[in-house]
Amino acid sequence: MTITLARTSTRNATLHEIVGILKDEHPRKTDVIAPVQNIHAQGGRLIVAGADHDITPDGVTRKAGEFRLTDVAESGVAEKLGIPVGYLRKVRIEAPDLWDANVNGWLSHESRADKSFMVRTLTPAQGEDTGTARAFLSPSYRIIDNLDILTAALQGVREAGVEVRLDKCDLTDRKMYVKITAPQVSAYAPELLKDYRSPFSGARGADNPTVFAGFEISNSETGCGAFTIVPRLVVQVCDNGMVITKDVMRSVHIGGKQQDGVIRWSNTTQSRTLDLVTSQTADAVSTFLDHDYVVRQLRSIQETAATRVKNPEATITTVAQRLKFTEERRADIFAHFIQGGDLSAGGVMHAVTSVAQTLPDADDAHEVEALGIRAMELAASL
């Protein structure tokens, strides 16, 4: 027997494509808070009593649902049951029977006799025989769905009255990422870009020194992070993104303890949450999509970016080690640094953020891009 994980990922989609995916998923979502007695593992899958239903002439009857796990859900099972996640992944691959034995053993342990867990699921798509367990969470987790977040955020943008474009949308089992840019809110950064050339097109930063204001919205439906809005400056010559992580706006998914059973959030609760998202987004637009804000951030970045890198290979190796990049990632960053031609700490930042654009995994790309400014600061300090 081989246990395989469910996996979904959409990279560099349009707004229309992301909305279509979210709308298709919406009617398949079921969230159940179940006591441990109603959960067990079988064949590497979770069986959850009351998570599915049959529709008959006599009405709707609840029944057990069978779910393949995503990597996120498996990590949640490991965390909530106190099983080392590396070990659980190992037995899934090498000794699948032990996967069931470990999960069932800790679910039935006396220390968890009074526990309940939230299981976020998708019912089977057409042609599938099992659903998907997307997350295994605490009952206090507050659900904020991606489609609602996106709708409210776009409303906030409209209320702020600033013309924007949606550059890229990514959707994974962990998060949704939406990058927004305001083309009319820009500034020149000749010092930052004078020696740089795009590794994608060869275009020179000296000829295209414009930087646009923008921000990125991210949300997790599966316990992998708060709803956030973070400012992001976009370099025209190569579309590299400089993420200003120190100014992030954040809303955590924590609420009150819920009762066992299938969850139905009240319209009042949802409305308050989405009103807050709309308001936060409007605040982000007025704060981050502002010429003075862009100029201030560029001034701060350029002061550090101007530091010359004396030993590029040693510097990038040290930066990669401190930021816990793999050897493959380090080699990619070094190659982009050489192609970029900017032998400064700013060139290291450009190399990190341009590599992020090439990564097929959206979660990985997001994490790497967010480290661009930190990489520059480390390079300048060496």
Side-chain angles (χ1 to χ4, degrees), residues 48-54 61-65:
V48 184
D52 203 351
H53 64 273
D54 282 327
T61 303
R62 304 306 306 181
K63 67 176 185 179

Side-chain angles (χ1 to χ4, degrees), residues 225-270:
F227 161 65
T228 62
I229 306 173
V230 61
R232 180 175 181 267
L233 306 182
V234 182
V235 180
Q236 180 187 28
V237 70
C238 56
D239 283 338
N240 288 347
M242 296 177 284
V243 180
I244 318 297
T245 55
K246 65 182 177 62
D247 289 341
V248 64
M249 294 182 176
R250 190 182 307 272
S251 180
V252 180
H253 294 239
I254 298 296
K257 190 179 187 326
Q258 305 298 314
Q259 298 299 312
D260 293 347
V262 177
I263 300 170
R264 295 285 183 265
W265 290 92
S266 73
N267 289 335
T268 300
T269 300
Q270 291 289 65

Side-chain angles (χ1 to χ4, degrees), residues 128-164:
E128 295 179 345
D129 59 352
T130 59
T132 300
R134 303 193 296 145
F136 194 83
L137 301 162
S138 161
S140 63
Y141 184 79
R142 180 163 57 95
I143 297 168
I144 310 179
D145 278 344
N146 288 331
L147 183 59
D148 293 333
I149 285 285
L150 184 55
T151 302
L154 294 178
Q155 177 63 29
V157 171
R158 284 191 291 270
E159 289 181 3
V162 178
E163 182 180 344
V164 301

Side-chain angles (χ1 to χ4, degrees), residues 65-100:
E66 180 179 346
F67 305 100
R68 291 176 62 201
L69 283 76
T70 63
D71 179 71
V72 174
E74 184 180 58
S75 297
V77 168
E79 177 192 354
K80 298 304 180 188
L81 299 185
I83 306 170
V85 66
Y87 168 76
L88 197 59
R89 288 171 178 160
K90 178 181 175 67
V91 297
R92 169 170 48 81
I93 296 169
E94 299 180 10
D97 290 346
L98 289 179
W99 196 96
D100 288 356

Side-chain angles (χ1 to χ4, degrees), residues 7 33 45 108 117 119 200-202 206 235 285 294 304 309 365 369:
R7 169 71 175 166
I33 293 180
R45 300 180 179 188
S108 61
F117 299 101
V119 187
F200 308 116
S201 66
V235 180
V285 171
V294 174
T304 306
V309 173
E369 182 180 85

